[in-house]
């Protein structure tokens, strides 16, 4: 139930930003309220999720400075509590947020962190898709170190995927 509430809240805030329909904001707030209550009983499991919902809520309401702070809190909490996949997700969503406020340099940094965490988690298909997105979105930026880092990780993903498939047969 908690996972459904968490992802349902993230989707709700995204749909609110896309449509402007307040029903989605209400659903996002309901999810955030549930995570807030669960965080009281288990910070380890729910704190980073609450912070990420809070960041998405603030982003949806154009509360830029507080959103920046909440994305950072979500990332640090996920890292502290060893949720690699949720750290990756928080970094990715922070990247989209910074891209939306036209801070491309910070967005690339967060997308790079997300890529590294997805790679560490073993989500190789996701790292490839994120790599493709970054390449298409930032094709005019000259951030060779970021591009090289993403290329190396993408190649490693491909090599590991091929090696795994060969060893499975």
């Amino acid at each position: 139930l908690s996972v459904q509430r968490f992802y349902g809240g993230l989707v709700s805030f995204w749909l609110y930003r896309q449509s402007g329909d307040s029903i989605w904001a209400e659903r996002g707030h309901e999810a955030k309220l549930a995570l807030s209550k669960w965080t009281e009983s288990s910070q380890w499991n729910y704190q980073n999720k609450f912070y990420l919902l809070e960041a998405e809520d603030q982003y949806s309401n154009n509360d830029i400075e507080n959103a920046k702070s909440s994305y950072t809190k979500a990332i640090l909490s996920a890292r502290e509590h060893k949720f690699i996949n949720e750290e990756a997700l928080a970094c990715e969503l922070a990247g989209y947020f910074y891209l939306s406020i036209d801070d491309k340099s910070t967005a690339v940094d967060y997308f790079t962190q997300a890529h590294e965490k997805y790679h560490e988690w073993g989500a190789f298909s996701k790292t490839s898709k994120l790599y493709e997105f970054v390449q298409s979105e930032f094709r005019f930026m000259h951030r060779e170190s970021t591009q090289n880092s993403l290329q190396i990780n993408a190649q490693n993903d491909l090599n590991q995927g091929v090696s795994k498939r060969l060893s499975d047969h």
Side-chain angles (χ1 to χ4, degrees):
L1 181 64
S2 64
V3 172
Q4 290 174 331
R5 280 291 228 188
F6 172 58
Y7 288 105
L10 292 177
V11 169
S12 294
F13 286 126
W14 181 83
L15 287 169
Y16 175 61
R17 286 193 301 275
Q18 300 305 308
S19 71
D21 187 344
S22 63
I23 189 72
W24 296 114
E26 291 171 25
R27 289 182 182 174
H29 289 131
E30 290 169 6
K32 191 172 102 173
L33 179 63
L35 268 290
S36 174
K37 290 179 182 176
W38 293 333
T39 298
E40 292 173 11
S41 66
S42 178
Q43 282 190 352
W44 187 274
N45 288 319
Y46 300 110
Q47 183 182 56
N48 72 295
K49 295 171 186 68
F50 171 75
Y51 285 144
L52 190 53
L53 284 175
E54 187 170 64
E56 289 288 293
D57 184 13
Q58 292 159 339
Y59 171 22
S60 297
N61 290 296
N62 209 29
D63 186 358
I64 303 304
E65 292 308 312
N66 284 324
K68 288 178 181 180
S69 175
S70 293
Y71 282 115
T72 299
K73 288 178 185 177
I75 292 164
L76 293 175
S77 178
R79 183 176 302 148
E80 177 184 352
H81 298 125
K82 313 292 187 228
F83 290 107
I84 297 169
N85 58 321
E86 292 173 9
E87 183 180 352
L89 177 61
C91 289
E92 181 181 6
L93 294 179
Y96 291 122
F97 164 74
Y98 279 96
L99 186 59
S100 78
I101 62 170
D102 208 32
D103 184 347
K104 291 183 178 181
S105 177
T106 304
V108 168
D109 291 341
Y110 277 112
F111 286 133
T112 300
Q113 289 177 48
H115 187 274
E116 290 169 0
K117 289 299 168 179
Y118 282 130
H119 182 268
E120 182 180 338
W121 189 46
F124 303 126
S125 178
K126 180 64 179 174
T127 59
S128 296
K129 288 181 188 208
L130 189 57
Y131 172 76
E132 290 169 10
F133 170 77
V134 170
Q135 288 299 304
S136 68
E137 190 68 32
F138 299 99
R139 64 181 167 263
F140 299 113
M141 287 187 68
H142 299 289
R143 294 186 55 95
E144 291 181 15
S145 63
T146 298
Q147 290 174 347
N148 289 341
S149 172
L150 291 176
Q151 277 183 322
I152 290 167
N153 283 341
Q155 186 61 47
N156 287 341
D157 294 348
L158 181 62
N159 292 342
Q160 287 179 0
V162 169
S163 295
K164 182 172 178 6
R165 285 190 182 151
L166 290 174
S167 68
D168 288 345
H169 292 290

